[in-house]
């Protein structure tokens, strides 16, 4: 089992799998893995949405995503987090922009 390193892994999620012998195992999720998975999830666009949120909820979500991305980039600049966190910061930034537009604010 891989040890969780908060400089390289998400704190909120683990992958639950089975090893070659069928034994249940869990492992930390890297920033790059999460970024790739979320990019894939988002590739369908907002028209693919199955849930509806209000404009206010979209804008609040966008603000939280922007803060998350800024904190990742702060840690990147100070060398306290793995460089692949930039990929996750970019996913958060892109989604924040989509949420801002969905909330009714456009550039």
């Amino acid at each position: 089992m891989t040890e969780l390193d908060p400089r390289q892994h998400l704190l909120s999620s683990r992958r639950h799998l089975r090893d070659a012998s069928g034994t249940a195992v869990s492992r930390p999720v890297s920033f790059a893995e999460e970024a790739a998975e979320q990019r894939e999830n988002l590739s369908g666009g907002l028209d693919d949405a199955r849930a509806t949120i209000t404009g206010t909820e979209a804008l609040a979500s966008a603000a939280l995503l922007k803060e998350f991305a800024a904190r990742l980039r702060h840690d990147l600049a100070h060398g306290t987090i793995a460089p692949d966190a930039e990929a996750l910061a970019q996913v958060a930034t892109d989604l924040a922009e989509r949420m801002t537009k969905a909330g009714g604010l456009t550039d």
Side-chain angles (χ1 to χ4, degrees):
M1 180 163 99
T2 305
E3 282 297 314
L4 177 91
D5 180 350
R7 295 169 298 168
Q8 298 180 32
H9 301 112
L10 298 180
L11 297 176
S12 61
S13 300
R14 292 185 73 80
R15 293 281 186 263
H16 299 281
L17 313 161
R18 299 220 174 256
D19 66 13
S21 69
T23 303
V25 295
S26 72
R27 65 171 182 76
V29 180
S30 74
F31 297 121
E33 288 175 310
E34 183 68 8
E37 182 177 318
Q38 294 308 326
R39 284 237 179 260
E40 178 67 25
N41 289 342
L42 293 168
S43 66
L46 290 177
D47 295 338
D48 229 13
R50 295 188 187 129
T52 303
I53 63 173
T54 68
T56 301
E57 291 168 330
L59 294 175
S61 297
L64 293 170
L65 287 164
K66 287 176 188 175
E67 179 63 19
F68 173 62
R71 287 180 176 270
L72 285 174
R73 290 188 173 115
H74 173 273
D75 287 351
L76 280 163
H78 290 87
T80 58
I81 199 166
D84 67 354
E86 175 54 39
L88 190 56
Q90 191 57 52
V91 171
T93 299
D94 294 347
L95 184 55
E97 290 173 6
R98 291 169 67 171
M99 297 296 279
T100 298
K101 288 178 185 172
L105 295 180
T106 57
D107 294 336

